[in-house]
Amino acid sequence: MIEDAEAQRRFDALTHYLTTYFGVIGKSTMRAIHQAVEWVELNAGEVLMRQGDAGDAAFLTLSGRLRVYVNGEDGAPRMVRELGRGEVTGEMSLYTGEPRSATVIAIRHTLLARLGKAHFQALIARNPQVSVALTNKIIQRLQTQNTSAPPAPAPVMVTLLPITDGVDPVPFAQRLVQALLPYGRACVVDRGCFAQEGDPEGADVIVRLDALEAAHDFVLLVADPQDMDWTQLCTTHSDEILLLADATQPPRLHPVEQALLAQRGQVTEVAETLVLLHPASTRHPSGMRRWIDRRPVTGHVNLRPTLDADMARLGRLLSRNAVGLVLAGGGARGFAHLGIWKVLRDQGVEIDCVGGTSMGAVMSAVIAADRGIDETLAIVKRAFQANPTGDYNLLPLISLIRGERVRQIIRRSLDELMGGQVDIADLWKGYFCIASNYSSGSEVRFDRGDLAKSLRASIAIPGALPPVVHEGELLCDGGTFNNFPVDVMRQMRGVGKVIGVDLGARTLRRLNFHETPSPWALLWDRFRPRARRRYRMPSLVSYLLNVTILYSVSRQPQSRRMTDLYFNPPLHRVGLLQWNRFSAIVRQGEAHAHEVLEKMPDAERQRWGLGG
């Protein structure tokens, strides 16, 4: 009876995924496919295909998860993507007959349908639209194959594993299910679900887990550190493991973690996310880096589990529906970021991850601290009452500006927002900022480490502000390489939609003179009323601020295409150094956000869940 039910489940799943992938297929053709496919089952670590092998078939994943590796120039395998259920692999060989271009390995127990080349050719002869659909899928994959970290599909089987005493995973799982329901069918499974029916073992358990996977979009497996057999079964059948830890306890490794570490394989290791649980009264986490440094986790989340907003954020991250906000650099013009963020919040758009460059990095950090809008605006306004670029060097050997005021502004802001010096790991929301490594000539991404030092590196405009020494190397403003880092946000785990706020000039401003005026001519021109000035030349500091981001500006069109929602406030007559215009610049950001959102089609407004 189980075999009949299992066979029916396989055929139902095959029909569903083929229809989803290729569109409507005739009943006779579908029956022919059912008769032609072969079933392939793999356990964790087993190889589906090896790079260089002859290609003679394509595979459709019905359950489980695969990881794709390509050998680098040094011969070492490099992971390029993960494949979840409903995805096809090996399809290129059906057209080209070339050897396999990658090695594919099962991360956990995986069921696939194999379609040989001869049967595929018969299929497309009957249904040409299948060939068109498959070609489109191949093109989409080729367009992203050079991405260093392609988006991973959302996990289906997720293990919740408590690693500190006093954490009850069952109520947590029930709250997480509610957070996941907007994105699909979800259920909770613990040891008791199997014990009630005679405690089945072996193959029957796997069959039942596969059936649960087929019937749901998310299956939360509640592990029990006191039952290693059950816990091991959960972890070996998971796409992702959530390590649940009471953040108020010491960060030592739990025995169950040590046991799992001993079993980890280099190729089949499952993604682990450390979920640090805080009391609802916690205003700002502290010392979370100690937890992370002890564990080879994929990422971490700071969470107050009794707050609906925090659980909703975890639901979006886990389902790959998180919203990322990217803020570009632009000096005082960056105050507009806060105005746009305020309007998004007022309209019901919650930000889960935030990152940026230079002034965008600073504004991203205050947003990631997750304080109220009015409180955040007040803190930033107070911090920038003193001109941050007004402390000029008498001996400008390395920079025109000393940078001491910048240091004080960052320190005061973090003191008010986070209670003192903090690590990036202590922020409530996922965060990164971009700097440039002068010593190696490369882009640097900070997603952990001293937050204040990371910010000072990101805003250290070459020639204007002093560089930052980090691990024996000189770092400077991130805008040199990536002033609008949408590509970095796209790589963040869990992010499904990206909002970008660009501060680049909308139009080219042409000059009405043919030669650069002399210093004396410029000085004399400055004494004239603004409306009668002849030379619209930037100041030296403004010139340095802008010239360092010219390479980033050339990447602006590509970055804009990678956003789902794009803002570029006009900021008429707002200079890079007009720090005294905080309120006015914030209001301009608000006005632009309202203008963009009001012009959105109803379908897009619904997709973003915008309020009235």
Side-chain angles (χ1 to χ4, degrees):
M1 191 71 181
I2 291 179
E3 291 183 0
D4 292 342
E6 173 66 5
Q8 185 61 51
R9 183 182 66 79
R10 290 183 177 186
F11 284 127
D12 290 344
L14 178 62
T15 301
H16 170 72
Y17 291 126
L18 284 174
T19 303
T20 302
Y21 202 88
F22 295 118
V24 178
I25 299 176
K27 292 183 179 179
S28 61
T29 303
M30 190 66 74
R31 284 194 298 268
I33 296 174
H34 285 169
Q35 295 171 359
V37 298
E38 302 173 41
W39 304 111
V40 177
E41 289 192 67
L42 300 175
N43 292 317
E46 291 188 331
V47 178
L48 176 65
M49 62 183 71
R50 294 188 185 276
Q51 187 171 340
D53 288 352
D56 58 355
F59 298 86
L60 173 65
T61 307
L62 300 185
S63 66
R65 205 170 186 89
L66 301 168
R67 192 167 286 161
V68 183
Y69 294 85
V70 173
N71 293 334
E73 294 181 359
D74 57 356
R78 177 177 62 89
M79 197 275 283
V80 294
R81 68 174 66 239
E82 288 186 2
L83 301 174
R85 63 185 186 181
E87 296 197 65
V88 174
T89 185
E91 70 276 22
M92 288 288 288
S93 66
L94 299 178
Y95 287 98
T96 66
E98 296 292 325
R100 300 295 191 190
S101 60
T103 298
V104 181
I105 301 175
I107 302 175
R108 61 178 177 89
H109 179 263
T110 302
L111 174 66
L112 306 106
R114 179 185 185 276
L115 183 65
K117 189 170 185 177
H119 289 109
F120 172 74
Q121 291 173 341
L123 170 64
I124 62 175
R126 292 187 181 190
N127 291 267
Q129 79 274 13
V130 171
S131 180
V132 174
L134 185 56
T135 301
N136 289 334
K137 295 289 185 180
I138 292 174
I139 292 172
Q140 292 173 12
R141 183 168 297 178
L142 289 174
Q143 289 175 338
T144 60
Q145 69 179 1
N146 293 325
T147 305
S148 58
V156 179
M157 309 293 281
V158 180
T159 290
L160 308 184
L161 176 61
I163 58 172
T164 56
D165 296 334
V167 174
D168 188 348
V170 175
F172 184 89
Q174 292 168 344
R175 287 181 60 80
L176 182 54
V177 160
Q178 295 303 311
L180 289 169
L181 285 178
Y183 312 106
R185 301 158 297 173
C187 69
V188 177
V189 178
D190 60 13
R191 188 70 182 89
C193 297
F194 291 97
Q196 292 175 1
E197 299 187 14
D199 194 19
E201 300 290 345
D204 288 348
V205 174
I206 295 175
V207 169
R208 294 182 60 192
L209 288 175
D210 285 348
L212 285 168
E213 180 177 358
H216 297 86
D217 299 291
F218 308 99
V219 178
L220 303 184
L221 303 172
V222 180
D224 182 356
Q226 305 303 317
D227 186 344
M228 278 305 300
D229 290 338
W230 169 249
T231 295
Q232 185 173 355
L233 180 68
C234 292
T235 57
T236 55
H237 281 76
S238 290
D239 302 317
E240 188 165 343
I241 300 172
L242 302 186
L243 303 176
L244 308 181
D246 181 349
T248 64
Q249 296 189 22
R252 58 177 175 266
L253 283 176
H254 191 282
V256 71
E257 291 183 272
Q258 296 173 334
L260 291 176
L261 281 172
Q263 300 168 3
R264 288 172 70 104
Q266 290 184 350
V267 176
T268 60
E269 61 187 30
V270 177
E272 294 182 2
T273 298
L274 178 62
V275 182
L276 295 162
L277 306 177
H278 302 266
S281 59
T282 304
R283 286 176 63 82
H284 38 74
S286 178
M288 296 302 102
R289 183 72 180 272
R290 295 175 299 154
W291 287 89
I292 299 169
D293 288 346
R294 284 171 166 81
R295 296 164 172 85
V297 293
T298 308
H300 82 286
V301 180
N302 288 311
L303 202 70
R304 292 155 292 194
T306 59
L307 298 187
D308 291 341
D310 280 23
M311 292 302 297
R313 174 161 50 91
L314 180 59
R316 290 189 293 270
L317 288 166
L318 200 60
S319 65
R320 307 300 186 254
N321 284 285
V323 177
L325 176 65
V326 181
L327 306 181
R333 296 163 64 90
F335 294 145
H337 292 317
L338 297 180
I340 293 172
W341 170 58
K342 181 178 184 299
V343 171
L344 289 171
R345 284 288 304 271
D346 290 344
Q347 291 283 325
V349 178
E350 292 292 340
I351 304 302
D352 303 300
C353 301
V354 61
T357 301
S358 199
M359 190 60 173
V362 178
M363 296 298 100
S364 294
V366 301
I367 292 173
D370 200 28
R371 303 290 282 272
I373 294 175
D374 292 338
E375 184 181 7
T376 300
L377 290 173
I379 290 172
V380 176
K381 184 176 182 178
R382 282 195 299 271
F384 281 89
Q385 282 179 343
N387 179 1
T389 54
D391 54 338
Y392 290 97
N393 265 319
L394 294 177
L395 291 175
L397 300 180
I398 190 66
S399 63
L400 295 174
I401 301 168
R402 292 173 56 203
E404 188 57 35
R405 289 190 186 178
V406 169
R407 184 191 294 266
Q408 292 175 1
I409 286 171
I410 291 174
R411 179 183 56 79
R412 284 199 301 267
S413 299
L414 295 183
D415 282 347
E416 289 196 66
L417 286 166
M418 302 288 291
Q421 183 176 354
V422 295
D423 193 281
I424 292 174
D426 296 327
L427 293 167
W428 287 113
K429 300 178 185 293
Y431 174 84
F432 71 86
C433 67
I434 300 298
S436 299
N437 189 317
Y438 173 84
S439 301
S440 65
S442 61
E443 180 179 322
V444 179
R445 169 185 170 179
F446 285 109
D447 54 14
R448 63 180 61 183
D450 187 312
L451 177 58
K453 190 171 187 178
S454 301
L455 291 177
R456 287 193 293 110
S458 185
I459 64 177
I461 300 98
L465 287 165
V468 171
V469 179
H470 176 71
E471 298 180 351
E473 297 179 326
L474 284 182
L475 304 184
C476 59
D477 186 272
T480 303
F481 279 95
N482 199 349
N483 196 53
F484 189 35
V486 179
D487 58 329
V488 179
M489 181 62 75
R490 279 292 180 195
Q491 296 172 11
M492 290 195 73
R493 193 173 185 85
V495 171
K497 294 185 288 188
V498 175
I499 301 172
V501 184
D502 188 8
L503 300 180
R506 291 181 164 199
T507 58
L508 176 66
R509 188 178 70 179
R510 304 194 67 85
L511 304 176
N512 58 359
F513 48 89
H514 304 291
E515 294 290 342
T516 303
S518 69
W520 289 108
L522 282 174
L523 180 61
W524 180 254
D525 195 54
R526 295 289 171 87
F527 286 106
R528 293 174 176 168
R530 180 177 294 273
R532 296 177 55 191
R533 287 180 186 173
R534 179 181 178 187
Y535 304 115
R536 300 291 182 179
M537 292 286 289
S539 68
L540 176 58
V541 176
S542 294
Y543 178 70
L544 290 173
L545 285 167
N546 278 296
V547 77
T548 58
I549 65 171
L550 290 181
Y551 171 68
S552 292
V553 170
S554 70
R555 300 170 59 183
Q556 183 181 12
Q558 177 186 359
S559 297
R560 177 175 181 173
R561 287 193 295 269
M562 296 176 69
T563 63
D564 298 290
L565 180 56
Y566 178 78
F567 295 94
N568 184 207
L571 300 176
H572 298 301
R573 299 184 181 279
V574 177
L576 297 172
L577 303 179
Q578 292 183 312
W579 308 105
N580 60 340
R581 297 186 60 192
F582 175 85
S583 297
I585 298 172
V586 170
R587 286 195 297 270
Q588 288 193 47
E590 290 184 59
H592 176 69
H594 281 300
E595 180 184 356
V596 170
L597 298 182
E598 287 171 1
K599 291 180 179 179
M600 289 177 64
D602 290 341
E604 275 296 293
R605 292 183 60 85
Q606 186 175 3
R607 174 174 173 252
W608 285 96
L610 295 175

